[in-house]
Amino acid sequence: MTKLSVNINKIATLRNSRGGNVPNLLKVATDVQKFGAEGITIHPRPDERHIRYQDAFDLLNVVVTEYNIEGNPIPKFMDLVLKVKPTQVTLVPDADDAITSNAGWDTIKHKTYLTEIIAEFKRNGIRTSLFVDPVEAMVTAAAETGTDRVELYTESYATEYEQGNKKGIEPYVKAALEAQKVGLGLNAGHDLSLENIKFFKENIPNLLEVSIGHALISESLYLGLENVVNLYLNKLK
């Protein structure tokens, strides 16, 4: 079975927009695991506009499943991960001002750089994963960095699927087979949703883990609104 890791960045965004501690990030992480999720993902950025660096430490007390921290391995991020020591670090080539992740690593161009960083994390007992586009050559080169896994960047699949083009899965199948060939574990994430996740899972071999945040939190709002509105109405009777 493929593990579900829930990205709770959007909970932090909502909390930060109002100040205070509502919604409570730690309670959400606790509840998500209680409901069956097998992992918690966070993606702190340098401006701490959603997940704060302190959140990464606070979550150590509540994450009892797999703990995945994503981000660009700038010195501040590396220092955080080496102190927290999560289950997994997923390296993403984000620009400082990126709204969200929008590309995978060029593992050929940045091979030496990534090899050194991955070695440091692995010396500290942290599983590593590289965020990559569904390109076989990038998966092949990723294996040469010493990483344990790759995470396929699934935005293009999600876009194609929404437009009715199921052939958008094909490069992901090829990338997955290449990962298997070179001995890499396989994760996936970005724009996966209730609409497209089943088809993706059915077609991607050896998919170990998906990380889902924006869609899952948005879907939770839609699917829960009727219940909460009626709870308020009952209180007001």
Side-chain angles (χ1 to χ4, degrees):
M1 177 163 172
T2 302
K3 290 185 176 181
L4 170 65
S5 185
V6 176
N7 186 318
I8 56 174
N9 276 24
K10 283 296 183 294
I11 301 298
T13 302
L14 189 58
R15 174 199 63 187
N16 296 354
S17 70
R18 185 69 180 262
N21 198 32
V22 178
N24 185 311
L25 189 80
L26 302 185
K27 186 176 189 311
V28 170
T30 300
D31 289 344
V32 161
Q33 294 171 99
K34 183 173 67 177
F35 299 153
E38 295 114 330
I40 296 294
T41 292
I42 60 171
H43 189 144
R45 288 186 165 86
D47 60 6
E48 299 187 81
R49 63 181 180 270
H50 33 65
I51 291 293
R52 299 168 182 151
Y53 274 49
Q54 184 58 45
D55 291 330
F57 292 99
D58 294 342
L59 283 162
L60 275 172
N61 297 317
V62 300
V63 179
V64 295
T65 55
E66 292 201 343
Y67 190 7
N68 176 43
I69 301 182
E70 300 179 341
N72 193 335
I74 61 174
K76 183 180 179 182
F77 176 84
M78 289 192 65
D79 184 58
L80 171 74
V81 173
L82 291 171
K83 287 177 179 175
V84 173
K85 288 186 167 59
T87 316
Q88 175 176 268
V89 58
T90 300
L91 305 180
V92 183
D94 279 340
D96 287 352
D97 59 350
I99 295 175
T100 187
S101 306
N102 55 21
W105 286 101
D106 183 334
T107 54
I108 298 172
K109 179 179 179 180
H110 299 292
K111 177 180 166 184
T112 301
Y113 170 69
L114 291 169
T115 299
E116 293 172 358
I117 289 169
I118 287 166
E120 179 66 15
F121 286 132
K122 293 181 78 171
R123 275 194 294 269
N124 284 270
I126 303 167
R127 189 175 74 219
T128 58
S129 180
L130 287 178
F131 196 62
V132 297
D133 295 315
V135 177
E136 292 168 84
M138 294 301 145
V139 174
T140 305
E144 297 170 2
T145 68
T147 191
D148 300 297
R149 297 185 182 186
V150 288
E151 177 175 330
L152 297 180
Y153 172 39
T154 49
E155 181 182 13
S156 64
Y157 159 73
T159 300
E160 293 291 334
Y161 188 90
E162 186 177 14
Q163 295 171 354
N165 179 20
K166 292 186 176 180
K167 289 186 177 181
I169 194 76
E170 292 177 359
Y172 292 88
V173 175
K174 291 177 181 178
L177 291 172
E178 181 64 17
Q180 182 178 6
K181 178 182 174 183
V182 296
L184 291 177
L186 187 69
N187 299 340
H190 204 90
D191 286 350
L192 294 174
S193 67
L194 285 174
E195 179 184 2
N196 61 42
I197 187 66
K198 187 172 186 293
F199 184 77
F200 190 81
K201 167 67 173 94
E202 289 172 344
N203 286 275
I204 300 300
N206 303 309
L207 181 61
L208 297 175
E209 175 185 297
V210 293
S211 174
I212 305 178
H214 182 78
L216 188 148
I217 300 304
S218 298
E219 288 157 350
S220 299
L221 288 175
Y222 287 122
L223 295 172
L225 272 175
E226 180 178 3
N227 181 45
V228 174
V229 168
N230 279 281
L231 286 171
Y232 271 97
L233 291 173
N234 288 331
K235 296 285 186 183
L236 294 169
K237 283 181 181 176

